[in-house]
Amino acid sequence: MTVKDFFRNDRFAVGADIELLEVGNGTARARMRIQDKHLNGGGVCQGGAIFTLADLAFAAAVNSHARLVLGISSNIQFYRAESSGYLYADARETYKGGKLSGIEVSVTNEAGDLVASFNGMGYNKGTELPFEPVK
């Protein structure tokens, strides 16, 4: 099993049609094609869909070390509205110590314009995950 296989079990992200593209050592990239089901009443991508995209990239990056890390805090800022095309979430670990890890995620559109910024903190439960750490 790989880390990407592990996250195919994230039923919520899978149901939102979010694809985990790549995972590195403390990094991850995911994408989501905006569909009608992602649109809010104003006709733009719903904030929860963007949050879920960023959260999956966060989870893959922080768990790339093959130890179960669960999110304990997160926040997101939205900068621009999108109603079509792909959104990309690029996550990178900014802090890893003892039990806590910090991750920053940038969500961009196909042109590379910043759509949202997500910051998350994870708590390392210490449980081994069923894949090798990503090098």
Side-chain angles (χ1 to χ4, degrees), residues 1 4 29 34 50 56 64 71 75 104 119 122:
M1 173 180 282
K4 284 176 73 174
R29 186 166 214 232
I34 299 171
I50 297 170
L56 181 68
S64 66
N75 63 63
E104 292 180 356
N119 291 293

Side-chain angles (χ1 to χ4, degrees), residues 67-70 96-101 122-127:
R67 295 280 184 203
L68 180 61
V69 178
L70 300 175
K96 183 176 184 291
K99 291 285 189 181
L100 299 178
S101 295
Y123 180 81
N124 185 337
K125 299 283 290 180
T127 306

Side-chain angles (χ1 to χ4, degrees), residues 5-133:
D5 295 329
F6 179 79
F7 281 100
R8 286 189 186 102
N9 291 322
D10 187 318
R11 291 168 201 68
F12 195 78
V14 168
D17 292 325
I18 296 171
E19 179 183 8
L20 186 56
L21 298 175
E22 55 191 65
V23 181
N25 182 358
T27 65
R29 186 166 214 232
R31 77 174 174 183
M32 176 181 74
R33 182 176 62 81
I34 299 171
Q35 301 170 48
D36 284 345
K37 70 180 179 179
H38 298 122
L39 301 180
N40 64 19
V44 298
C45 190
Q46 206 263 355
I50 297 170
F51 186 96
T52 300
L53 171 64
D55 189 55
L56 181 68
F58 160 83
V62 80
N63 282 287
S64 66
H65 309 295
R67 295 280 184 203
L68 180 61
V69 178
L70 300 175
I72 58 171
S73 175
S74 58
N75 63 63
I76 192 166
Q77 294 82 35
F78 300 102
Y79 301 112
R80 58 185 299 130
E82 298 290 334
S83 57
S84 64
Y86 280 95
L87 295 179
Y88 294 88
D90 291 290
R92 70 178 181 84
E93 194 167 52
T94 57
Y95 175 80
K96 183 176 184 291
K99 291 285 189 181
L100 299 178
S101 295
I103 300 283
E104 292 180 356
V105 183
S106 294
V107 178
T108 57
N109 62 17
E110 292 176 279
D113 300 317
L114 187 63
V115 173
S117 294
F118 173 105
N119 291 293
M121 182 182 297
Y123 180 81
N124 185 337
K125 299 283 290 180
T127 306
E128 287 187 36
L129 295 175
F131 53 83
E132 292 296 315

